[in-house]
Amino acid sequence: MSLHTLTAPRAPRAPRAAFGTIVLNEARLAWRQPAGIVVAIGVSLLLLVIFGSIPVFQQTSARLGGLTAFEVYIPILISFSIGVLALAYLPGPLVSYREQGILRRLSTTPVPAFWVLAAQFVVQACLMLIAVFLLIGVSVAGYGTIAPRNPGGLVLALVLAIAALFAIGLSIAAAARTSGAARAIMALAFYPLMFFSGLYIPMQLLPPVFATISHFTPLGAAVQAIQDSMLGRFPPALPLLVMAAYAIVFGYLAKRFFRWE
């Protein structure tokens, strides 16, 4: 008996081009169900225009560290866009795929089921970056804000913010058994994180205890790192480490508990 007959046949592998097809399909689905895009990009841009049109928002304030309220809100709105896509929009499709048995059927094909997660990451990350570029571009071109003075620090802050929030979104998808449960968990996570990001009240105006807590939340850390990089300072270690810790811990939890069926 030859060695060839003793060797078990290998399962066929999906061509790499199939991943591109999955990404395109996820992008089409995002376009057909644009709620997340409208909220993450449209609402943040609308708020930016509103804030930029209010004269008092263009006046510097000692309570805001010598910045204008408009300048303070730019990193907050950037973090808001990332948070909406990662927490409010990402978990829903994945939980729906599980409910419909799509992930289970994919696990029986040559296409790795985790490609769906990777495709979601590509689509969501692209939408997040579009939102960031639009917010910065409109603030600079439309309202005379100075362009980010530390691009390297800004890129690092954005990468860590996207990684941290994406990991939390995947953890929500892992924990939720139904789409309704995913929405409930999202609400419990989203609104407190928005508060500590400074969306309702800038963190410079928060009581000291809340400001301290804010620095240890993913969106609060993201706002601090983005703000520092826009002012020309490289982000301090604390917010970068906080975001990295959220990415690692929640990434592990998502991998450990994510169910394909």
Side-chain angles (χ1 to χ4, degrees):
M1 185 178 295
S2 66
L3 179 62
H4 176 74
T5 59
L6 290 174
T7 303
R10 293 183 179 180
R13 293 184 178 180
R16 293 183 179 180
F19 178 71
T21 302
I22 295 176
V23 172
L24 289 177
N25 287 337
E26 294 299 323
R28 291 192 188 101
L29 289 173
W31 183 254
R32 291 172 186 172
Q33 300 175 347
I37 299 175
V38 170
V39 175
I41 299 178
V43 171
S44 58
L45 278 175
L46 177 61
L47 290 174
L48 184 78
V49 172
I50 292 173
F51 294 157
S53 303
I54 300 175
V56 70
F57 271 62
Q58 300 294 344
Q59 299 175 2
T60 58
S61 170
R63 297 182 66 191
L64 297 176
L67 301 175
T68 67
F70 184 72
E71 292 171 327
V72 167
Y73 265 100
I74 293 173
I76 294 172
L77 293 176
I78 289 174
S79 300
F80 168 77
S81 299
I82 296 174
V84 167
L85 289 168
L87 301 180
Y89 185 70
L90 170 66
L94 295 177
V95 176
S96 177
Y97 291 163
R98 186 191 299 126
E99 288 181 309
Q100 298 173 24
I102 295 174
L103 296 180
R104 176 177 51 80
R105 289 195 294 271
L106 274 177
S107 65
T108 64
T109 70
V111 176
F114 73 86
W115 277 14
V116 176
L117 303 184
Q120 279 285 334
F121 176 80
V122 171
V123 172
Q124 302 301 331
C126 287
L127 291 175
M128 292 173 186
L129 293 177
I130 290 172
V132 171
F133 289 138
L134 285 175
L135 288 168
I136 294 178
V138 171
S139 67
V140 172
Y143 300 98
T145 303
I146 297 176
R149 298 175 182 175
N150 195 319
L154 179 61
V155 169
L156 178 59
L158 291 174
V159 168
L160 289 176
I162 291 173
L165 272 296
F166 191 84
I168 295 173
L170 282 182
S171 297
I172 294 174
R177 294 184 176 274
T178 65
S179 298
R183 288 190 293 269
I185 298 173
M186 176 276 297
L188 290 173
F190 181 76
Y191 294 107
L193 289 178
M194 285 297 107
F195 172 79
F196 286 112
S197 75
L199 182 65
Y200 312 131
I201 304 174
M203 64 179 65
Q204 293 91 335
L205 304 180
L206 290 175
V209 62
F210 290 129
T212 300
I213 295 173
S214 173
H215 293 155
F216 292 92
T217 66
L219 286 181
V223 169
Q224 182 183 357
I226 294 171
Q227 184 77 82
D228 283 339
S229 63
M230 295 187 73
L231 295 175
R233 301 187 294 264
F234 193 83
L238 179 60
L240 299 180
L241 291 174
V242 167
M243 290 187 289
Y246 275 98
I248 293 171
V249 172
F250 281 91
Y252 169 78
L253 292 175
K255 180 181 179 181
R256 175 66 177 81
F257 296 106
F258 196 89
R259 293 172 291 105
W260 301 102
E261 299 182 2

